[in-house]
Amino acid sequence: MKLSSLKLSVKALSLVSILLLVEMLFVGSYFSLLTKAEEEAAKQEKAKMIIARTNNIINSLFEGGFNIQLNVFHKEQADLSKYTKARTDVPNDISWLREQVRSDPKQLRLLERIDERTTKTLAMLEKMKTVSDTEAQMVAVNYALKLRTKVQKQMEGLVEDLIDFMNIEKKIESETPTIMKHHRDYLRWLLLGALFVNILAAIMLALLFVRSITSRLAVVVENSDRLRTRASLRSPLSGNDEIAQLDRAFHEMSNSLRGEEELIKASQLQLHAMIDQMPIGLMIIADNETIEYSNPTLERLLHSQDEELVGTLLSDHFFRPGPNPARFDQTSTVNGVIDLIGRKSDGSEVNVEFSVVDVSLASLARRLAIVIDVTERHEVEKLRQVFVSMVSHDLRTPLTSVSGFLQLLPMGVYGQIAAPAINEANVAEGQVEQLILLINDLLDLEKLEAGKLELSRTKVSLEDVIDAGLDTVFGLAELRGVELIFEGCEVDVIGDSERLKQAISKMLASVIRLSSSGDTLDVIVEPGQNSKAVQIAFKARRLSLPADKLSTIFEPFQRLEIPSWNGTLGLGLTLARAIAVQHGGVCGAECGASGGGTTLWLQLPS
């Protein structure tokens, strides 16, 4: 079979297989030799360290023996430091040597003999020190002179063993350079052989490309250029190899692209039509704040003619609101939303919500601006503010006067009143107080949601805050027949103590109202969902809430129909959640397993 009749995959596979086989043999041999060289180097380094430790043992023993004798003769405590160090260092060095030679039985046996002699020598020296410490100097000197011969004899044998031990390691150290030289010679020949094989393989690969691949690839490259310039392609190549298949794919792609091009043109027209019909304003902005495109919705919003905005500056049409309208940097609004004032062509103004998305491609820096008319939203916000102002001044003030009148009525300020009228007045007073409380909650909630309620953040004792909240609802709990249990805590949080007390008392009051007479409410402080949070749980042991209400109970005026309560909880839980969020926390509710009570919780950062 001719080489030219083979497919490229077969040609490449054969050549790559040979190259891989050669490279695998080379890498395997190289790795083996390198591993052996590293082992020899490690063995040499280990031998050096063993020799050094053996020398340390000899030096330590001689210095220790010499200094203990000096101590016997001169009674100098300074001579004992080297002896004491020898007693500590020698056993440690022997233990280290035993760990290093554990795989060499001969060295290990020799080391055991060294250890035995060392132990005896140190015992003699210790006996000499003991006699010196307990007996008279002359007695200690006589004893030391008698013991010196035994010590010297023991030391001579020990030194001989240590020298034999070192000689074995020195032999290993001296043989290592020769072995490593042999390994380097092997590596040198291996590298030369691999270089020769790689050069031969490169020549074969070059011949293959020149003879059977390059000329056919040139046709494919030319057809790719023709395809890019939308020119007619050269005739298809003959054969069944991969290059011929690629060339045929170019011809099929050319035919397919001509059809796709028509579809893309139709899609572009459809996309432009969709953008033009979008109900929000869109425009493309260059780096110099020049408007390059605006859709009809934006043009209608600013009362501009077709493409009248194109080529103008962004700051000519939009500015920040305020007594002194200021320009703004549109780059600062990327992935954010700000409120701006749009200037129409007739000079009038419109409130808009402005956001920018980066749509840059490579070196072409462009941004897509989204403009939404929020005039109606601003009008609604104004109406809302007017309503809140009306509730705050026009409703709360008269109710305060009514409450004061009802409080004075039973006191006889306005004359004697019949008992039924007094009872009705007390009921009316309670209802007025509830209404005033509801109005206050509504105002606080409005300020929290608008971000206008300032918090005085300090380090607060959570136990003090909870105790204050319990004091606030104690009367309600006594009236409802609910027992309150709080065992205290030692936790501090950063926050506004008054607002935290308000949130806790609101949650306590809500749980108490939902609980039936005889129920127990546990207040438990425990770690939150992460290590930097603390959770306050309000658990009513016998309270059972519908599962579908747990996710909505913190919404305003949620109605509940359970045996212990039928009505709404007003804004208490909603306000508590808003205060928690303002402090960076969350609120939630959950039922216990098998109807084991209901828990409302408030989690704060600690």
Side-chain angles (χ1 to χ4, degrees):
M1 181 180 293
K2 293 182 180 180
L3 183 63
S4 58
S5 62
L6 295 175
K7 287 189 174 183
L8 278 179
S9 57
V10 177
K11 299 174 188 177
L13 184 60
S14 301
L15 185 59
V16 170
S17 297
I18 296 173
L19 288 174
L20 285 177
L21 180 60
V22 173
E23 293 298 329
M24 287 175 64
L25 290 173
F26 165 70
V27 171
S29 302
Y30 182 82
F31 181 75
S32 176
L33 291 173
L34 186 62
T35 302
K36 290 180 180 178
E38 290 177 351
E39 290 175 353
E40 291 298 329
K43 189 184 296 183
Q44 184 184 30
E45 186 64 25
K46 178 180 174 183
K48 290 180 180 180
M49 295 174 65
I50 290 175
I51 291 170
R53 284 295 183 104
T54 306
N55 281 324
N56 288 344
I57 293 175
I58 295 174
N59 294 333
S60 297
L61 287 173
F62 273 107
E63 289 182 358
F66 178 73
N67 282 277
I68 194 63
Q69 292 182 47
L70 287 178
N71 177 261
V72 171
F73 287 102
H74 300 291
K75 290 293 184 176
E76 293 290 341
Q77 293 297 321
D79 297 329
L80 291 177
S81 60
K82 293 185 178 180
Y83 166 72
T84 305
K85 186 175 185 297
R87 286 195 58 82
T88 303
D89 293 347
V90 170
N92 291 339
D93 289 338
I94 291 177
S95 298
W96 184 87
L97 290 174
R98 184 179 288 109
E99 180 66 22
Q100 300 302 316
V101 301
R102 66 180 185 276
S103 59
D104 189 343
K106 182 178 178 181
Q107 286 286 76
L108 193 59
R109 287 194 298 272
L110 184 55
L111 184 62
E112 293 298 336
R113 190 162 70 243
I114 292 170
D115 189 14
E116 182 179 352
R117 288 177 183 249
T118 302
T119 303
K120 290 180 179 179
T121 301
L122 291 174
M124 293 178 185
L125 296 176
E126 183 62 23
K127 181 63 176 177
M128 190 181 298
K129 177 181 178 298
T130 302
V131 171
S132 174
D133 293 340
T134 58
E135 302 292 342
Q137 186 174 11
M138 291 302 298
V139 175
V141 170
N142 290 332
Y143 182 80
L145 291 174
K146 292 178 181 179
L147 195 61
R148 177 187 294 180
T149 303
K150 293 183 180 180
V151 172
Q152 287 178 347
K153 184 178 180 180
Q154 192 70 27
M155 286 288 289
E156 288 172 359
L158 178 60
V159 170
E160 289 177 0
D161 290 341
L162 287 170
I163 291 174
D164 292 340
F165 187 83
M166 280 195 299
N167 288 336
I168 295 174
E169 296 300 328
K170 286 181 178 180
K171 183 179 179 182
I172 295 173
E173 182 183 9
S174 62
E175 290 176 350
T176 300
T178 304
I179 297 173
M180 293 183 68
K181 182 178 180 302
H182 289 317
H183 287 317
R184 287 195 295 270
D185 293 338
Y186 292 150
L187 283 173
R188 187 180 298 110
W189 285 108
L190 180 63
L191 289 172
L192 290 174
L195 178 62
F196 173 76
V197 173
N198 283 329
I199 292 174
L200 182 61
I203 293 173
M204 293 175 60
L205 185 61
L207 291 174
L208 175 64
F209 269 86
V210 170
R211 292 184 178 180
S212 60
I213 298 177
T214 306
S215 60
R216 295 165 66 81
L217 281 176
V219 175
V220 175
V221 172
E222 183 181 353
N223 278 338
S224 68
D225 292 335
R226 289 172 174 262
L227 182 63
R228 186 173 61 253
T229 58
R230 301 181 183 180
S232 299
L233 304 185
R234 291 181 57 179
S235 300
L237 293 174
S238 59
N240 293 317
D241 61 3
E242 286 82 351
I243 296 179
Q245 294 175 7
L246 180 61
D247 185 65
R248 285 196 292 272
F250 270 115
H251 283 78
E252 294 174 0
M253 189 184 302
S254 176
N255 296 331
S256 176
L257 287 177
R258 296 183 187 279
E260 293 292 338
E261 186 176 2
E262 298 299 326
L263 293 176
I264 290 174
K265 289 180 180 179
S267 297
Q268 287 179 339
L269 293 175
Q270 185 177 9
L271 179 61
H272 281 297
M274 291 174 60
I275 293 176
D276 289 345
Q277 296 300 321
M278 289 187 71
I280 61 176
L282 298 174
M283 57 181 167
I284 301 295
I285 308 169
D287 257 357
N288 58 0
E289 295 194 1
T290 300
I291 300 174
E292 293 187 347
Y293 165 79
S294 62
N295 71 339
T297 302
L298 181 60
E299 292 171 348
R300 288 194 297 270
L301 177 63
L302 299 181
H303 293 179
S304 301
Q305 302 298 323
D306 292 345
E307 298 188 358
E308 184 180 351
L309 299 177
V310 176
T312 61
L313 293 176
L314 183 67
S315 57
D316 294 339
H317 307 284
F318 298 97
F319 54 91
R320 293 185 182 275
N324 297 313
R327 295 180 59 179
F328 70 100
D329 180 9
Q330 52 97 11
T331 59
S332 64
T333 63
V334 175
N335 299 325
V337 179
I338 61 173
D339 289 332
L340 296 177
I341 301 296
R343 182 181 291 112
K344 299 181 181 180
S345 59
D346 58 3
S348 59
E349 297 177 350
V350 59
N351 295 304
V352 297
E353 186 179 84
F354 189 93
S355 59
V356 175
V357 179
D358 193 344
V359 291
S360 301
L361 294 174
S363 60
L364 186 64
R366 294 293 182 270
R367 290 178 174 84
L368 173 65
I370 303 171
V371 183
I372 302 175
D373 185 357
V374 293
T375 302
E376 185 176 349
R377 186 192 307 172
H378 278 235
E379 293 298 329
V380 172
E381 182 65 24
K382 289 180 181 178
L383 291 176
R384 181 180 179 181
Q385 293 175 356
V386 171
F387 171 74
V388 171
S389 177
M390 181 271 292
V391 169
S392 176
H393 298 93
D394 299 342
L395 185 58
R396 185 169 56 176
T397 302
L399 284 174
T400 304
S401 300
V402 172
S403 177
F405 169 75
L406 292 174
Q407 290 175 358
L408 296 174
L409 195 61
M411 299 179 184
V413 175
Y414 303 103
Q416 293 296 323
I417 306 296
I422 292 176
N423 292 335
E424 290 297 325
N426 290 333
V427 172
E429 181 186 350
Q431 291 175 345
V432 170
E433 291 295 333
Q434 286 293 328
L435 184 56
I436 293 175
L437 182 62
L438 181 61
I439 292 172
N440 290 335
D441 288 348
L442 178 63
L443 294 175
D444 287 344
L445 183 62
E446 174 66 22
K447 291 179 181 178
L448 282 168
E449 292 180 347
K452 296 180 180 179
L453 187 64
E454 295 184 0
L455 299 180
S456 177
R457 298 179 185 270
T458 58
K459 188 175 182 180
V460 178
S461 170
L462 196 55
E463 181 176 6
D464 293 343
V465 174
I466 295 175
D467 286 338
L470 290 170
D471 292 341
T472 303
V473 299
F474 180 78
L476 177 62
E478 192 175 43
L479 180 64
R480 297 283 296 178
V482 176
E483 182 181 2
L484 302 177
I485 297 179
F486 174 52
E487 297 181 354
C489 65
E490 296 181 359
V491 178
D492 293 331
V493 296
I494 303 299
D496 188 317
S497 60
E498 288 300 319
R499 291 301 172 184
L500 290 177
K501 170 190 169 183
Q502 184 181 13
I504 291 172
S505 61
K506 293 294 182 184
M507 295 190 73
L508 283 169
S510 299
V511 178
I512 292 171
R513 290 191 182 97
L514 294 174
S515 302
S516 57
S517 179
D519 199 352
T520 300
L521 174 58
D522 296 296
V523 182
I524 305 170
V525 178
E526 55 192 0
Q529 297 176 356
N530 57 66
S531 59
K532 296 183 179 180
V534 61
Q535 182 169 289
I536 310 166
F538 308 92
K539 181 178 180 180
R541 299 181 183 180
R542 296 191 300 182
L543 175 62
S544 179
L545 294 180
D548 60 333
K549 293 296 184 180
L550 294 178
S551 59
T552 61
I553 193 172
F554 288 92
E555 298 300 324
F557 302 106
Q558 283 296 307
R559 185 171 187 81
L560 289 173
E561 295 182 2
I562 56 177
S564 59
W565 180 264
N566 184 6
T568 70
L569 293 175
L571 295 172
L573 292 178
T574 306
L575 182 59
R577 180 178 64 178
I579 294 174
V581 171
Q582 195 78 0
H583 282 79
V586 291
C587 291
E590 57 188 26
C591 283
S594 303
T598 299
T599 301
L600 272 66
W601 51 266
L602 184 152
Q603 184 170 288
L604 297 170
S606 59

